[in-house]
């Protein structure tokens, strides 16, 4: 399975932007990059996903490097409710019959 | 948006008893559901893939006779932990997707404590 590497933890201040990096140097051409987050004592929540182009939605932006070996999840203005573990996961292949394997993720702490 | 409901949210049982956890997709049909387990301060570990109308596919090292999975309809999958022991105490989370390539939607998890 293609692997991702994320920092164990990051810290941010409220209302400031946060850039969460992810390395996936063994990514192949059809692998999608997915981001999920998990708040304490809850199930994970989908954040965003992309293939090649940068993506934006109401929660975040995803910036994908041109060589696709890395990506960055951008929270434009962190709030205390964004404190969570953020997981960068590769969806292997372009097919619909996929499963997601979680790594350790990045624990984001947001300071008031 | 798509919602996955998991029940119960927490359960305490005695060693040797069995516990059933339900996972429902509330506003979509899910031909495939997934069951994860998460120990404290660890990541989610995929246990099995639940397919409607067929046998579940278990990940390596997961005992299929201990963790019984039934996916009898397009909106319901159940996980039964049989003869539970204290080491089975964990956070069990299910997920489902409503279309082939759509993101996964997760339930809020079930905290199982075996005494």
């Amino acid at each position: 399975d293609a692997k991702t590497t994320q920092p164990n933890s990051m810290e941010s201040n409220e209302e400031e932007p946060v850039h969460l990096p992810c390395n996936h140097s063994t990514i192949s051409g059809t692998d999608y990059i997915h981001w999920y987050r998990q708040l304490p004592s809850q199930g994970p929540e989908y954040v965003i996903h992309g293939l090649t182009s940068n993506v934006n939605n109401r929660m975040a932006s995803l910036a994908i490097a041109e060589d696709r070996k890395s990506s960055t999840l951008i929270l434009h203005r962190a709030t205390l409710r964004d404190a969570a573990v953020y997981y960068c996961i590769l969806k292997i292949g372009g097919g619909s019959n996929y499963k997601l394997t979680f790594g350790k993720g990045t624990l984001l702490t947001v300071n008031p | 948006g798509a919602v996955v409901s998991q029940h119960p949210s927490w359960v305490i049982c005695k060693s040797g008893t069995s516990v059933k956890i339900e996972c429902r997709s509330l506003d979509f049909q899910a031909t495939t559901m997934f069951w994860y387990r998460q120990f404290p301060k660890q990541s989610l570990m995929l246990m099995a893939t639940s397919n409607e109308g067929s046998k579940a596919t278990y990940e390596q090292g997961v005992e299929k006779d201990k963790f019984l999975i039934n996916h009898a309809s397009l909106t319901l999958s159940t996980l039964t932990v049989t003869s539970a022991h204290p080491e089975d105490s964990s956070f069990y989370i299910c997920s489902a997707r409503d279309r082939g390539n759509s993101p996964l939607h997760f339930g809020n998890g079930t905290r199982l404590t075996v005494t």
Side-chain angles (χ1 to χ4, degrees):
Chain A
D1 287 349
K3 298 255 188 278
T4 63
T5 305
Q6 300 177 252
N8 289 333
S9 62
M10 290 186 66
E11 210 167 314
S12 170
N13 295 320
E14 204 174 4
E15 299 192 4
E16 291 185 356
V18 181
H19 291 232
L20 297 164
C22 180
N23 288 321
H24 27 77
S25 57
T26 59
I27 193 171
S28 65
T30 55
D31 294 345
Y32 279 78
I33 302 158
H34 281 232
W35 283 82
Y36 287 78
R37 71 180 185 182
Q38 186 178 23
L39 279 64
S41 299
Q42 293 188 29
E45 173 187 28
Y46 166 76
V47 178
I48 201 166
H49 75 282
L51 182 63
T52 56
S53 305
N54 294 343
V55 185
N56 299 297
N57 66 20
R58 63 175 180 80
M59 287 182 70
S61 296
L62 177 59
I64 302 173
E66 202 169 323
D67 63 6
R68 302 209 327 123
K69 293 184 185 301
S70 66
S71 62
T72 302
L73 179 71
I74 302 166
L75 307 179
H76 295 285
R77 286 184 68 203
T79 70
L80 296 178
R81 290 177 296 178
D82 291 322
V85 178
Y86 286 78
Y87 297 98
C88 168
I89 307 168
L90 296 184
K91 171 184 164 293
I92 306 302
S96 59
N97 192 20
Y98 72 92
K99 59 185 181 183
L100 295 183
T101 301
F102 284 74
K104 294 183 178 179
T106 297
L107 174 62
L108 175 66
T109 302
V110 180
N111 300 313
Chain B
V3 176
V4 173
S5 174
Q6 202 171 327
H7 179 79
S9 55
W10 60 271
V11 58
I12 301 172
C13 71
K14 292 188 176 180
S15 188
T17 61
S18 296
V19 173
K20 181 185 283 188
I21 302 169
E22 292 187 348
C23 179
R24 293 180 186 273
S25 55
L26 295 187
D27 50 0
F28 65 98
Q29 293 184 331
T31 55
T32 303
M33 292 184 174
F34 302 91
W35 288 95
Y36 291 83
R37 179 168 59 179
Q38 186 175 32
F39 292 107
K41 298 195 184 300
Q42 293 189 24
S43 186
L44 284 77
M45 185 195 80
L46 180 64
M47 298 175 67
T49 302
S50 168
N51 299 298
E52 187 269 335
S54 64
K55 289 183 179 180
T57 303
Y58 291 82
E59 295 298 305
Q60 193 171 10
V62 178
E63 300 175 59
K64 62 179 181 180
D65 294 330
K66 180 167 185 62
F67 300 100
L68 301 179
I69 291 172
N70 183 280
H71 193 159
S73 78
L74 287 172
T75 60
L76 174 63
S77 175
T78 61
L79 167 69
T80 301
V81 183
T82 63
S83 186
H85 291 288
E87 57 264 31
D88 298 323
S89 298
S90 188
F91 193 47
Y92 292 86
I93 308 168
C94 72
S95 69
R97 56 172 182 255
D98 54 2
R99 294 182 306 279
N101 261 318
S102 66
L104 293 185
H105 305 285
F106 286 82
N108 269 333
T110 297
R111 176 84 52 199
L112 171 63
T113 302
V114 185
T115 61

